[in-house]
Amino acid sequence: MTLWQLKVFTTVAKTGSFTKAAKLLQITQPSATTLVQSLSRELGVKLFEKLGIKTRITSAGEEALRYAHQILGKEDDFRKRMEEFSGLKKGTLRIGGSVVAGASFLPAAVQQFKRENPDFEVDLKIQRSDDLEKMLLEGELDVAVMGVAPRSPLIVAKPFREEEVVVIAPPNHPLTKKRSIPLKLLAKERLISTLHNIMKQKFVEKGLSFVPSLQVNLDIGSRDVVRNAVGSGLGIGFLSKCHVVNDVKAGRIKILNVPQLKLKRALYIAVHKNRQHSALMRSFTGFLATCRE
């Protein structure tokens, strides 16, 4: 039994025709027939039966097909892993980014990486960090820049950079006139946040309660909700600075100076521990190390 026999067999099963399979595989129809017949004799079962002009797979063929797909899948995995270790400068790199990374440096970094490595195909997906972890575990991503440390021991993550969390207010809010704002004064305001646990911990450390008037569930669209709510005068919010740069420039919101509330959110470069030696990923993570600022 050879891998080529299995490839021809699975292609015939997929197309339902020796002629179509031969054409796809760029061999002659008699060659395809001979290879499958040889495999059938070796296995001691009939793989296909002829019903008029139609070729139909048998019950034994269905079972053989299941194992053939598994064997050919393993061969494909084997080739991909060997390519990773060989350091080939080509292939597809599937990158995931958290919303914070996607709103700040990551898209520009990926574009620069593609310009410097034109033989790479790069696919970038922006998702929540917990979704990115799941995609890494399921093999849907090669590498991810996450906003929280992964929970699974199968994911290897290293701190990469930090993004500042800022306090934002509508431009006509009385606090915008103050150079410095004590946290106890901020606690009296109507607060809007997607970062409930982080903010609550910081307020409790200062002996203050954190009771937001509007708590927005952390999701991809939640930053827009907070920005719009603050800009409309509904309260004071907390967001990563990268999410509000354009609004500040446009004068829709202002950043408040709250010295007691200096917060930064860590970003992590994460890969599956069984794939961390991939040449593609090593090339990209090495590139990211030069893009910290």
Side-chain angles (χ1 to χ4, degrees):
M1 182 192 308
T2 66
L3 292 173
W4 181 237
Q5 283 178 304
L6 295 180
K7 180 66 175 178
V8 175
F9 165 55
T10 58
T11 306
V12 173
K14 181 180 179 180
T15 61
S17 165
F18 282 89
T19 301
K20 291 179 180 178
K23 186 175 181 180
L24 283 175
L25 297 172
Q26 296 183 326
I27 59 176
T28 64
Q29 185 270 333
S31 294
T33 301
T34 299
L35 286 165
V36 173
Q37 288 176 343
S38 175
L39 177 63
S40 180
R41 286 194 300 271
E42 188 174 346
L43 296 176
V45 296
K46 193 173 184 179
L47 298 173
F48 295 101
E49 57 187 359
K50 199 78 170 175
L51 297 177
I53 61 173
K54 293 184 178 180
T55 298
R56 180 177 176 180
I57 193 168
T58 64
S59 296
E62 290 280 6
E63 186 69 7
L65 183 64
R66 184 169 67 87
Y67 282 100
H69 282 311
Q70 292 178 6
I71 294 169
L72 292 173
K74 291 292 185 183
E75 184 217 10
D76 187 53
D77 289 343
F78 172 74
R79 290 184 183 278
K80 287 179 179 178
R81 288 304 303 273
M82 293 305 100
E83 287 177 359
E84 289 173 356
F85 280 97
S86 71
L88 293 177
K89 286 293 182 180
K90 61 182 179 180
T92 299
L93 184 64
R94 299 164 301 171
I95 304 168
S98 69
V99 179
V100 171
S104 52
F105 71 95
L106 190 56
V110 169
Q111 283 299 109
Q112 181 62 30
F113 180 75
K114 289 175 68 174
R115 283 194 293 269
E116 295 182 9
N117 301 273
D119 291 331
F120 280 116
E121 291 293 330
V122 181
D123 180 23
L124 174 62
K125 297 183 184 299
I126 304 299
Q127 298 284 348
R128 293 173 51 176
S129 290
D130 55 351
D131 292 328
L132 295 176
E133 180 173 352
K134 181 179 179 182
M135 294 170 78
L136 284 171
L137 288 170
E138 294 179 353
E140 296 176 14
L141 290 177
D142 298 309
V143 59
V145 180
M146 300 172 57
V148 296
R151 295 183 295 272
S152 172
L154 295 176
I155 304 299
V156 177
K158 296 181 179 180
F160 168 55
R161 61 186 282 165
E162 295 179 323
E163 290 290 336
E164 182 182 0
V165 176
V166 294
V167 185
I168 56 175
N172 59 351
H173 195 284
L175 290 182
T176 61
K177 297 179 174 61
K178 295 183 176 293
R179 289 188 176 182
S180 179
I181 303 165
L183 195 59
K184 64 180 180 180
L185 184 59
L186 191 66
K188 297 177 182 179
E189 299 290 332
R190 289 179 299 170
L191 305 176
I192 304 168
S193 181
T194 58
L195 308 170
H196 184 75
N197 292 334
I198 297 174
M199 304 312 302
K200 182 178 181 180
Q201 180 181 352
K202 197 68 176 180
F203 274 64
V204 169
E205 288 174 0
K206 303 299 181 181
L208 300 169
S209 60
F210 179 69
V211 185
S213 59
L214 175 60
Q215 182 177 337
V216 182
N217 290 331
L218 188 62
D219 211 335
I220 288 181
S222 61
R223 285 82 183 172
D224 292 332
V225 174
V226 174
R227 287 199 303 267
N228 292 335
V230 171
S232 300
L234 295 180
I236 290 174
F238 310 90
L239 282 176
S240 295
K241 189 174 182 178
C242 61
H243 291 301
V244 302
V245 172
N246 291 333
D247 294 275
V248 172
K249 288 180 179 178
R252 289 188 289 267
I253 59 177
K254 287 191 175 182
I255 295 176
L256 302 180
N257 179 29
V258 187
Q260 293 175 295
L261 202 60
K262 296 298 183 183
L263 289 174
K264 290 188 176 182
R265 300 185 67 187
L267 293 176
Y268 303 83
I269 296 178
V271 299
H272 196 291
K273 75 172 187 178
N274 292 335
R275 306 195 65 202
Q276 58 186 314
H277 299 296
S278 161
L280 289 173
M281 284 184 281
R282 287 201 309 271
S283 179
F284 180 69
T285 55
F287 172 81
L288 278 184
T290 68
C291 302
R292 289 183 179 273
E293 299 302 329

